Every structure is written in structure tokens, then in C-alpha cells.
């Protein structure tokens, strides 16, 4: 008994410590935009509605155990009692109401937060094209004709329209503090609309396991004022351009120790990546010539080194 209680205490303490894992400062609970805010509101409304069922259950269980304990003196003995309309009504009615309300809310929120649905705003959306690579994220700003890897700079208080694809396996794009995850798939374009409501630095990541470099496939999101965004674009102009040779190098399996920006990007690069993936089946990377043990070993060593560089850069 004592051991059991101690066990429960440890679990309870662990739950209390969970916020230390970053959920409250990196996740949607620390929402920085309307989408994450709506997700957060929905999350708490789900907790509230389910408590209607959970609280009476946890209150009633010990009461029933106490009331019908074997050692109770002078209790009424009713062996023929077997039905109560009030109890049946509560047991069936309450959950039905809760499930109906949860279902209705989920329906509403799902349509309201449809990732393909543009965010109503007086400013036009900024287009950003996203290409997931092994193990990095390429961001193309088609109207600014520039690109960046593992770094996404966004103007604050302006809707962002993401078009996403993958130049490798399926991956999953997510900026938890802005909300809504979306998959990237080769030969296909998915859409996502987000808005950063306040300036700040937010993390983004791939949430779909895709091999050795997965843990390092993160990117930083900087939400800045409109003026600062234009400044940033102008500042990047002096950087080297992204050409096809450089893109091919980027699309190889590797981990980048630090983000990169390119002053220019080929026009229609995104469209070309999508149509190339349609022409060559994505599986072609998997059926490439088998590697010798020596080559495999070298690749492993190379990745290990890249991972070390990445961690060093992060710390
Ligand atoms: Cu799934």
C-alpha cells in the first residue's frame, strides 16, 4: 500500500514537472498566432467538457467504496433493488451530451482551422514555398526571389501562405507556437496558412521520423516587423545565389551546422522540384546502387561529424 501511494506520488510529481519539458514555452500552449491560439482554446475546452464526466467518477468511486463497505453497521439491505431512472439518465445522458458537444466543437474547429483556408486579413498573404530535404528545410520566397535553408524570417501580423513539397521522403512541417502541422510529400503540393501575431524567435521542426538526421532537422523562425523583414530581404541580396548545382548539393543527405541564406533563387525552382519528383519516382533514392560496406562506414562517419558540428553550433 505504502509503496503504491509512493508510486502514485512520483507519477503525479512527474506530471507537475512536465511543463519543464517545454510544452508551455515552445508548444501551442504558448501560442504566438491565431491558429495556435484557437488550438489552445479548443484544447482547454476539451479538458473542461470531459471533466464533467471525469470529476463525478473520481468523486463517486471513493464514496461508493465507503458507503458499501463490508464492515458498515446498520446499513439498509436491498437485495431486490436493480433499477433507477435517475441513475440511468445520468450514466447515459451526460456522456451523450458531452460527446455531442465535443463532436460539434471538433467539426467547427476543424473547418475553421482548415490549413488550406486563407486567413482573413487586410494585408495580402506572403507566399513562402517550403521544400523538405534530408535533413533540412529549404524556404523559397518566390516574390522576393530569394531562398534560405533552416531559417525562416516572417513579417509579423501578416498572413503567410505556405506551399509545401518534399524532395525526398514524406516529412511533416510544424511550427508549434504558430499552430497546425502539415505533411510534405514528393510530387505533391500541400498548403498551410499561418500568422505570427507577435515578434519573436520560434522553433520549427520535422515531426515525421525520416532517418539518421531526423533529430537535427530543425529550423528557426524569426517573426519581425514588416520594415525589418524588407531590410532582411535587402541585406541578403549580397549573398551568393542559389543555383541548381548548389541545390543538388543541398538535397544530398546531410546536416547543416548553421542556417544559410541565398541572395537569389532560380525562378520556378519550387515548381521544378515538384515536377521532377513526379517524373522520377521518389523510391529512386532507395533503389540507388547498393553501397559497399566501406562507403556506408564513410557516410556514417560523415554524418556523425555533421551532427557534432550541429550540436556545437546550437550550444
Ligand atoms: Cu498518421
Amino acid at each position: 500500500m505504502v509503496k503504491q501511494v509512493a508510486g502514485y506520488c512520483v507519477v503525479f510529481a512527474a506530471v507537475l514537472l512536465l511543463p519543464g519539458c517545454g510544452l508551455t514555452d515552445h508548444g501551442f500552449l504558448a501560442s504566438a498566432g491565431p491558429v495556435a491560439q484557437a488550438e489552445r482554446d479548443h484544447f482547454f475546452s476539451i479538458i473542461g467538457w470531459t471533466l464533467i464526466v471525469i470529476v463525478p467518477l473520481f468523486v463517486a468511486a471513493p464514496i461508493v467504496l465507503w458507503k458499501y463497505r463490508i464492515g458498515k453497521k446498520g446499513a439498509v439491505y436491498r437485495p431486490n433493488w436493480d433499477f433507477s431512472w435517475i441513475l440511468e439518465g445520468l450514466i447515459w445522458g451526460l456522456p451523450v451530451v458531452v460527446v455531442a458537444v465535443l463532436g460539434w466543437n471538433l467539426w467547427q474547429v476543424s473547418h475553421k482551422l482548415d490549413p488550406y483556408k486563407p486567413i482573413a486579413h487586410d494585408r495580402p498573404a506572403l507566399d513562402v514555398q517550403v521544400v523538405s530535404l534530408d535533413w533540412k528545410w529549404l524556404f523559397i520566397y518566390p516574390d522576393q526571389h530569394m531562398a534560405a535553408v533552416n531559417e525562416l524570417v516572417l513579417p509579423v501580423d501578416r498572413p503567410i501562405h505556405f506551399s509545401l513539397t518534399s524532395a525526398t521522403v514524406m516529412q511533416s512541417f510544424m511550427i508549434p507556437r504558430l499552430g497546425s502541422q502539415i505533411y510534405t510529400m514528393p510530387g505533391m503540393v500541400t498548403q498551410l496558412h499561418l500568422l505570427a501575431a507577435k515578434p519573436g524567435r520560434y522553433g520549427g521542426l520535422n515531426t515525421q521520423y525520416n532517418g539518421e538526421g531526423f533529430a537535427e532537422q530543425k529550423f528557426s523562425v524569426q517573426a519581425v516587423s514588416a520594415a525589418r523583414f524588407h531590410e532582411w530581404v535587402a541585406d541578403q541580396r549580397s549573398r551568393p545565389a542559389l543555383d541548381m548545382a548548389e541545390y543538388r548539393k543541398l538535397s544530398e543527405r546531410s546536416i547543416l551546422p548553421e542556417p544559410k541564406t541565398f541572395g537569389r533563387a532560380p525562378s520556378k525552382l519550387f515548381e521544378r522540384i515538384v515536377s521532377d519528383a513526379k517524373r522520377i519516382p521518389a523510391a529512386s533514392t532507395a533503389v540507388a546502387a547498393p553501397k559497399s560496406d566501406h562507403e556506408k562506414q564513410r557516410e556514417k562517419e560523415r554524418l556523425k561529424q555533421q551532427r557534432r558540428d550541429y550540436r556545437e553550433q546550437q550550444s
Side-chain angles (χ1 to χ4, degrees):
M1 181 69 183
V2 175
K3 252 188 187 170
Q4 231 174 355
V5 170
Y8 286 132
C9 288
V10 168
V11 171
F12 186 64
V15 169
L16 285 183
L17 286 173
L18 263 185
C21 297
L23 195 64
T24 48
D25 34 293
H26 307 309
F28 70 101
L29 291 180
S31 62
V35 178
Q37 182 63 43
E39 288 175 349
R40 182 194 149 104
D41 293 348
H42 187 225
F43 176 75
F44 284 118
S45 112
I46 291 172
I47 291 181
W49 282 99
T50 46
L51 280 182
I52 295 175
V53 171
I54 292 164
V55 167
L57 183 82
F58 277 87
V59 171
I63 293 176
V64 168
L65 285 178
W66 180 251
K67 187 166 178 203
Y68 298 101
R69 70 191 185 278
I70 205 159
K72 191 175 178 185
K73 301 267 177 329
V76 194
Y77 181 54
R78 288 189 296 176
N80 296 320
W81 182 90
D82 67 352
F83 190 82
S84 153
W85 274 112
I86 296 170
L87 277 181
E88 292 291 321
L90 281 175
I91 288 165
W92 290 97
L94 267 185
V96 165
V97 170
V98 169
V99 168
V101 170
L102 286 179
W104 174 256
N105 285 352
L106 182 60
W107 180 276
Q108 297 290 323
V109 172
S110 300
H111 285 281
K112 191 183 139 200
L113 297 182
D114 180 350
Y116 281 55
K117 200 172 121 182
I119 294 172
H121 202 277
D122 45 3
R123 277 191 229 178
L126 171 77
D127 274 307
V128 177
Q129 297 165 329
V130 181
V131 183
S132 58
L133 304 165
D134 281 328
W135 289 282
K136 47 203 114 52
W137 291 96
L138 170 64
F139 302 107
I140 303 166
Y141 296 79
D143 298 328
Q144 286 72 24
H145 310 286
M146 54 164 299
V149 184
N150 288 350
E151 181 169 65
L152 182 58
V153 178
L154 301 174
V156 103
D157 196 31
R158 179 175 169 189
I160 312 295
H161 170 217
F162 293 101
S163 305
L164 309 96
T165 194
S166 181
T168 168
V169 293
M170 179 169 154
Q171 298 187 15
S172 168
F173 174 89
M174 190 173 183
I175 307 169
R177 292 193 60 190
L178 298 187
S180 279
Q181 162 276 351
I182 193 106
Y183 288 108
T184 64
M185 284 163 273
M188 183 180 161
V189 180
T190 48
Q191 320 272 334
L192 175 65
H193 291 85
L194 293 177
L195 186 145
K198 44 187 171 189
R201 211 171 233 287
Y202 314 122
L205 70 162
N206 168 26
T207 64
Q208 170 99 2
Y209 180 71
N210 63 339
E212 282 172 273
F214 171 73
E216 278 78 39
Q217 195 181 351
K218 301 200 170 90
F219 59 95
S220 91
V221 182
Q222 279 185 71
V224 297
S225 67
R228 181 73 200 91
F229 175 72
H230 291 297
E231 247 174 67
W232 176 77
V233 171
D235 286 351
Q236 307 313 311
R237 286 285 176 238
S238 55
R239 303 249 177 175
L242 174 65
D243 53 21
M244 286 319 280
E246 181 70 29
Y247 170 71
R248 265 186 286 278
K249 230 175 87 190
L250 271 178
S251 55
E252 277 167 22
R253 296 175 145 208
S254 64
I255 296 162
L256 279 193
E258 47 188 323
K260 247 185 187 175
T261 48
F262 299 96
R264 294 270 160 199
S267 60
K268 302 273 169 218
L269 173 62
F270 183 79
E271 290 76 3
R272 207 186 310 176
I273 293 168
V274 175
S275 62
D276 278 1
K278 272 184 198 159
R279 211 165 32 240
I280 313 158
S284 65
T285 47
V287 293
K291 288 190 175 112
S292 70
D293 285 352
H294 180 66
E295 275 174 324
K296 276 187 204 158
Q297 192 55 38
R298 266 197 8 211
E299 200 178 301
K300 242 184 191 162
E301 293 296 326
R302 189 167 53 91
L303 251 167
K304 250 190 202 160
Q305 186 55 48
Q306 288 176 350
R307 190 170 290 155
R308 268 197 296 270
D309 293 346
Y310 178 89
R311 298 230 167 105
E312 218 162 79
Q313 198 55 238
Q314 297 299 306
S315 59

